[in-house]
Amino acid sequence: MNWNQLLSTTRFKVVDGQVQTTVAGAAADSAIGLRTDFHIDHDRVVFSSAFRRLGRKTQVHPLASHDHTHNRLTHSVEVSSVGRSLGNRVGAALAEHGELPAGYTPFDIGAIVQVACLAHDIGNPPFGHTGEDALRVWFRDPARQHLLAGLSMAEALDVQTYEGNAHGFRMVSNLEMYAGEGGMRLTAAALGSLMKYPWAVDVSPKPGKFNLYQSELPYFRAVAAALGLPEVSANRWARHPLSYLMEAADDVCYAILDLEDAVEIGILDVQEFEHLLLPLAGLDERALTSQDPRQKCALVRGTVVGKCVAALADRFMAHYHDLMAGQFTGKDLLAVCPQDIGDALQGAKELASRKVYRHRSKVVTEVAAYPCMATILAVLIPGVHTLVTQGEAALSTRERIQLSLLERPLPVRDGLYACYMSVLDFVGNMTDNAAANLAREISGVGIL
């Protein structure tokens, strides 16, 4: 791989089902240097309705009423800040080693990673990872397998494996802005950096982890060609090197900030937070003069994040040739960081798993996510199946009423797979509150 292609500003549109390149978005501001192509990418993500909805989607604490805890929106903004810093550092190192192509600056690298970080959670359904599992469980129930008849194996796996990463790519390449015509039409560089798992579900080396539904394969094939990403096997590509920075920024933020939220709402004692991270921060307890737990956590967190950014950028350059060859064998960049950083972040994840993720306030809502998602799917999917396989005349009055809940017309002419994906778009786009309210309303409970 080479940077001339990896930094491609090519954009894509879809015309009559065919993926084409376009210069749409290369506005006059870009031509005179006021906004680069990557700034345009940034603005398209930030001003999208899908990005705004993240403000009402779970990060760790579902339906949290506390004003200071993170949701998916604040998490994404903070990850993008860390990602930009990582990208800027790596960009400066690339420039120093003569690896940055003419016309690009270190800040372009930072901007690309920032865009990928902003969009990395844009496909998450209500209730986070629990919501993903709830959608999968419903479609995998043996009693519902007749609903998948007629789908290819790969299409059935897509429907049975809602994946936030794959839906995120579907969001930016299909659903938002130019719906059905190329989505946000982001640059190839930003799209490649967003792809943590650039392969389809049926060829995934990591069960359940993938970025590409069958419906988006042609689009990404064009993106990969523009970037020069090697196709290592059918429908599976090497990762864009900058995707490792996006992934690292996310890992750092959720490892540390989940604990900060836990302190904020009283699940975790501030001393536990300090004990775990103070050694890595290199701060003496006497330096924490503030008696306010929030300020103590902020000071420790800021120092630790800064050290992680420096170490991760260094590790990127240390493994540079493997990353550029698509042959990086480490699990991720954190796995090859100095031991003190790895131990501290692993300790943070273990503490969160032990005392935060299984706290009753979280578990109760997670349990409720399963019947919530099931209620919505049970109201929509059977009617969709009847409509596509038997025609509109076969719909019962009840099914007609239920399908009127959908916000967009179903693409019946495109078949069952396309219609099921459209339902998953509808459900996945919901906020936690919207899903909970809809499930309650359509269940008939409390109708009077």
Side-chain angles (χ1 to χ4, degrees):
M1 292 182 279
N2 67 83
W3 288 111
N4 281 308
Q5 286 185 278
L6 290 171
L7 301 180
S8 172
T9 57
T10 301
R11 299 176 188 273
F12 306 88
K13 62 182 178 181
V14 177
V15 179
D16 296 328
Q18 301 299 310
V19 182
Q20 302 176 5
T21 59
T22 177
V23 294
D29 282 354
S30 178
I32 60 176
L34 296 179
R35 283 200 308 167
T36 69
D37 279 287
F38 309 127
H39 291 148
I40 293 171
D41 286 345
H42 173 278
D43 294 348
R44 288 187 174 188
V45 174
V46 167
F47 282 92
S48 69
S49 58
F51 186 71
R52 289 196 300 276
R53 284 194 296 270
L54 294 177
R56 289 287 186 171
K57 290 197 177 188
T58 292
Q59 171 58 20
V60 172
H61 306 284
L63 305 173
S65 59
H66 200 289
D67 289 341
H68 296 285
T69 57
H70 291 81
N71 53 48
R72 288 285 171 183
L73 181 64
T74 51
H75 168 73
S76 296
V77 170
E78 291 175 352
V79 172
S80 76
S81 179
V82 174
R84 184 186 60 219
S85 296
L86 268 171
N88 287 346
R89 276 182 172 267
V90 167
L94 292 175
E96 182 181 350
H97 289 83
E99 296 286 336
L100 203 59
Y104 292 96
T105 73
F107 302 110
D108 288 321
I109 305 297
I112 294 168
V113 179
Q114 181 182 28
V115 172
C117 290
L118 280 172
H120 84 283
D121 271 348
I122 207 167
N124 274 34
F127 312 113
H129 294 307
T130 303
E132 285 180 311
D133 192 56
L135 294 170
R136 296 172 179 179
V137 165
W138 194 89
F139 276 107
R140 290 176 182 176
D141 189 322
R144 302 188 179 102
Q145 295 317 290
H146 67 285
L147 296 171
L148 304 179
L151 302 183
S152 70
M153 182 189 75
E155 289 173 341
L157 284 173
D158 278 355
V159 171
Q160 292 178 311
T161 318
Y162 188 105
E163 220 291 339
N165 291 291
H167 236 84
F169 184 72
R170 180 173 168 84
M171 189 74 69
V172 300
S173 66
N174 187 350
L175 303 179
E176 280 285 327
M177 196 169 177
Y178 296 98
E181 299 178 355
M184 294 185 190
R185 299 182 182 175
L186 304 180
T187 61
L191 291 170
S193 300
L194 175 62
M195 305 296 280
K196 188 175 177 181
Y197 310 111
W199 47 73
V201 63
D202 55 329
V203 295
S204 175
K206 299 181 177 182
K209 297 294 186 181
F210 64 103
N211 257 108
L212 294 169
Y213 291 124
Q214 297 299 305
S215 49
E216 279 65 60
L217 272 173
Y219 195 106
F220 187 73
R221 188 172 295 280
V223 173
L227 295 170
L229 301 181
E231 188 170 4
V232 296
S233 60
N235 297 334
R236 179 184 170 192
W237 287 265
R239 290 176 63 174
H240 192 296
L242 297 184
S243 72
Y244 288 92
L245 298 183
M246 177 273 293
E247 177 184 32
D250 184 31
D251 284 346
V252 168
C253 286
Y254 85 71
I256 299 173
L257 297 173
D258 286 359
L259 296 185
E260 192 173 0
D261 278 351
V263 172
E264 181 70 42
I265 63 179
I267 294 176
L268 199 65
D269 191 273
V270 67
Q271 279 76 33
E272 294 177 276
F273 183 91
E274 293 174 3
H275 177 74
L276 181 67
L277 295 176
L278 267 178
L280 181 58
L283 297 172
D284 189 289
E285 291 190 31
R286 290 171 294 182
L288 302 177
T289 55
S290 171
Q291 297 304 306
D292 180 72
R294 189 181 301 158
Q295 295 303 319
K296 287 183 178 183
C297 288
L299 176 59
V300 174
R301 177 249 303 149
T303 305
V304 169
V305 169
K307 289 198 170 187
C308 289
V309 165
L312 286 162
D314 176 75
R315 291 298 85 198
F316 183 96
M317 296 308 298
H319 293 270
Y320 177 71
H321 295 295
D322 287 340
L323 288 164
M324 293 297 287
Q327 297 175 353
F328 177 61
T329 57
K331 177 185 175 183
D332 50 46
L333 288 178
L334 279 176
V336 295
C337 271
Q339 187 173 351
D340 60 340
I341 289 178
D343 288 349
L345 295 187
Q346 183 59 36
K349 293 177 183 179
E350 290 173 357
L351 178 60
S353 178
R354 188 172 69 253
K355 299 198 67 173
V356 180
Y357 300 152
R358 297 276 63 87
H359 190 270
R360 188 179 186 280
S361 63
K362 178 173 172 58
V363 170
V364 167
T365 305
E366 287 186 338
V367 169
Y370 288 88
C372 175
M373 296 286 94
T375 297
I376 296 172
L377 289 178
V379 160
L380 296 173
I381 293 298
V384 172
H385 185 267
T386 299
L387 175 64
V388 176
T389 59
Q390 301 179 49
E392 188 173 357
L395 289 173
S396 67
T397 299
R398 179 177 180 176
E399 287 174 329
R400 290 177 187 275
I401 294 172
Q402 289 171 337
L403 291 183
S404 69
L405 290 169
L406 295 172
E407 297 172 343
R408 296 179 180 178
L410 287 166
V412 178
R413 287 183 297 179
D414 295 331
L416 192 60
Y417 171 72
C419 289
Y420 282 171
M421 294 304 294
S422 185
V423 172
L424 288 175
D425 294 337
F426 171 73
V427 178
N429 285 351
M430 289 183 181
T431 63
D432 294 6
N433 289 324
N437 289 337
L438 178 61
R440 182 167 53 250
E441 290 167 350
I442 64 179
S443 71
V445 175
I447 193 171
L448 297 177

